[in-house]
Amino acid sequence: MKTHDFYYDLPEELIAQHPLDDRTSSRLMVLDGNNGDIEHKHFWDLPEYLKAGDVLVINNTRVIPARLLGVRSDTGSAVELLLLKRIDTNHWETLARPGKKVRPGKRFTFIPGVLEAECEEVLESGNRIIRFDFEGIWEEVLDQAGTMPLPPYIHEQLEDRERYQTVYSKDPGSAAAPTAGLHFTKNLLAKIRDMGVEIAEVTLHVGLGTFRPVKAEDILDHEMHSEWYDFSKEASDIIRRARKDNRRIISVGTTSTRVLETVANMDPEMMPCSGYTSIFIYPGVEFKCIDCLITNFHLPESTLIMLVSALAGKDNVLNAYKVAVDEKYRFFSFGDAMFIKGKGRNV
């Protein structure tokens, strides 16, 4: 299967540059993976497609201000670090720009006397291991020094950081938001709970690898990025009861999906666990847990559009994306959403 099989034409003006004032006012395309049927709704209509006994699975990760702008201590030249993975209290794996300025032994200043750093190692991937020296509590220092690492296709500044967080975010660690969850408000979630829908929380810290393009011509040659997840006992209990009762499991976002399908592949009983996942879901891969998916519209030729195509069928998905372009839906992180009924699933 070729990467180009998942290409579609997208006019640049359809890439959403800012969030809507009302999270629930985004449009919602409803796609039936069994027959390709499409409905056009708004996100506030989501309860129409839910029913008592459903389980809605959300990713409670919280985005950290992982973009650090500083200077090299010896020359004063500008450097940028993107925090990818925390190793211990002082060490992070980072993406550095420009890389030629970030070499072992070189020191950097972000806030004089508050946050400084030194490059200790260059990995084979080109990422850097950075030791941070700081005064105070790391989270508070980072909040002061860092900015939100918005995706490269968003060119406008974000006035309110919380608009790049879900209303249920609680566990800091992501370099990017689980964007399908950005459409929910606390009121909408309360309405869904009142319908008798159970809500299960999982955690997956989204890495910048989610934006990495697939460069391999054949998708099977693509090396998937790794992300840390946690599948708690509470989530396990909810999911196991639902599966036993043959109730629908509806994943909010591809990140929640990655957690659920990772666990289901490792352990059919879906007991609590945590670790790193590099699961790659593409057409032909069998879903073992989720039935439906709430998600945004994804980049052409990305692993995310491949995942969606695995659930609803590639032809159905590419046709839906063509319709979305024709209907001028808003695309990507701050864009509109889809509710996808999985092909051959419990829908």
Side-chain angles (χ1 to χ4, degrees):
M1 197 175 302
K2 303 301 182 184
T3 298
H4 193 68
D5 293 340
F6 298 89
Y7 178 81
Y8 66 93
D9 286 315
L10 178 67
E12 188 173 352
E13 62 267 21
L14 295 184
I15 301 174
Q17 292 297 313
H18 55 82
L20 300 178
D21 291 338
D22 176 8
R23 291 175 183 257
T24 66
S25 64
S26 297
R27 296 171 74 181
L28 179 69
M29 175 184 283
V30 181
L31 171 63
D32 190 330
N34 292 291
N35 52 30
D37 287 353
I38 292 172
E39 297 178 76
H40 301 286
K41 296 285 186 175
H42 284 86
F43 204 82
W44 59 57
D45 296 315
L46 177 64
E48 294 180 19
Y49 298 91
L50 306 178
K51 57 191 177 186
D54 284 345
V55 173
L56 197 67
V57 183
I58 59 178
N59 180 8
N60 65 16
T61 190
R62 186 167 176 82
V63 185
I64 60 174
R67 183 170 181 248
L68 291 168
L69 301 177
V71 297
R72 217 167 84 171
S73 301
D74 56 352
T75 64
S77 56
V79 294
E80 176 182 343
L81 298 180
L82 288 168
L83 306 180
L84 301 179
K85 184 187 300 182
R86 192 171 192 176
I87 300 169
D88 57 34
T89 303
N90 293 81
H91 291 83
W92 281 79
E93 181 179 340
T94 73
L95 181 67
R97 291 190 293 214
K100 63 183 180 180
K101 294 182 181 179
V102 184
R103 300 193 302 272
K106 296 300 180 182
R107 290 192 59 81
F108 313 95
T109 302
F110 301 96
I111 302 178
V114 177
L115 180 61
E116 299 182 353
E118 181 174 323
C119 177
E120 292 192 345
E121 183 182 356
V122 178
L123 303 178
E124 286 187 12
S125 63
N127 294 343
R128 269 64 172 170
I129 301 299
I130 302 292
R131 187 190 77 244
F132 288 96
D133 303 315
F134 56 92
E135 293 291 333
I137 300 171
W138 168 252
E139 287 76 15
E140 294 178 357
V141 172
L142 184 60
D143 194 58
Q144 181 183 357
T147 60
M148 286 297 185
L150 294 178
Y153 46 75
I154 293 178
H155 309 300
E156 297 184 8
Q157 293 296 314
L158 185 62
E159 295 182 4
D160 180 4
R161 282 187 181 184
E162 286 302 307
R163 290 301 277 111
Y164 196 54
Q165 305 280 11
T166 63
V167 297
Y168 46 77
S169 66
K170 63 176 66 169
D171 191 350
S174 278
T179 55
L182 295 180
H183 305 283
F184 287 91
T185 62
K186 291 182 178 179
N187 286 339
L188 180 59
L189 286 168
K191 181 177 181 179
I192 289 170
R193 282 193 180 95
D194 290 344
M195 294 172 55
V197 175
E198 285 193 273
I199 297 179
E201 297 186 17
V202 299
T203 304
L204 183 134
H205 291 326
V206 188
L208 292 174
T210 192
F211 302 116
R212 185 189 304 160
V214 179
K215 296 180 179 180
E217 181 179 351
D218 189 314
I219 67 172
L220 296 182
D221 294 330
H222 176 66
E223 184 177 346
M224 196 68 178
H225 60 285
S226 177
E227 295 166 318
W228 186 88
Y229 73 91
D230 180 62
F231 185 62
S232 67
K233 182 180 185 304
E234 182 180 3
S236 171
D237 290 344
I238 293 172
I239 296 296
R240 293 174 70 215
R241 287 197 304 267
R243 283 158 59 92
K244 182 179 179 181
D245 298 339
N246 197 34
R247 292 183 278 125
R248 292 196 305 177
I249 296 173
I250 301 166
S251 179
V252 178
T254 57
T255 60
S256 300
T257 301
R258 283 165 58 78
V259 174
L260 295 173
E261 296 300 321
T262 293
V263 177
N265 273 303
M266 291 191 309
D267 176 15
E269 294 298 315
M270 298 198 71
M271 300 301 289
C273 61
S274 63
Y276 284 90
T277 178
S278 55
I279 190 171
F280 184 15
I281 301 174
Y282 51 87
V285 172
E286 178 186 356
F287 285 85
K288 297 182 178 179
C289 184
I290 77 162
D291 299 299
C292 303
L293 171 65
I294 297 167
T295 189
N296 283 15
F297 291 89
H298 302 295
L299 276 73
E301 300 183 335
S302 65
T303 60
L304 302 182
I305 194 172
M306 294 172 191
L307 183 154
V308 171
S309 297
L311 184 65
K314 179 170 69 71
D315 292 343
N316 289 339
V317 168
L318 290 179
N319 177 65
Y321 272 54
K322 181 180 184 304
V323 171
V325 170
D326 292 342
E327 296 291 328
K328 294 187 173 7
Y329 274 67
R330 302 167 76 246
F331 278 68
F332 305 161
S333 296
F334 288 139
D336 296 317
M338 301 181 79
F339 180 86
I340 300 175
K341 303 174 183 179
K343 187 176 183 180
R345 306 297 296 176
N346 179 18
V347 298

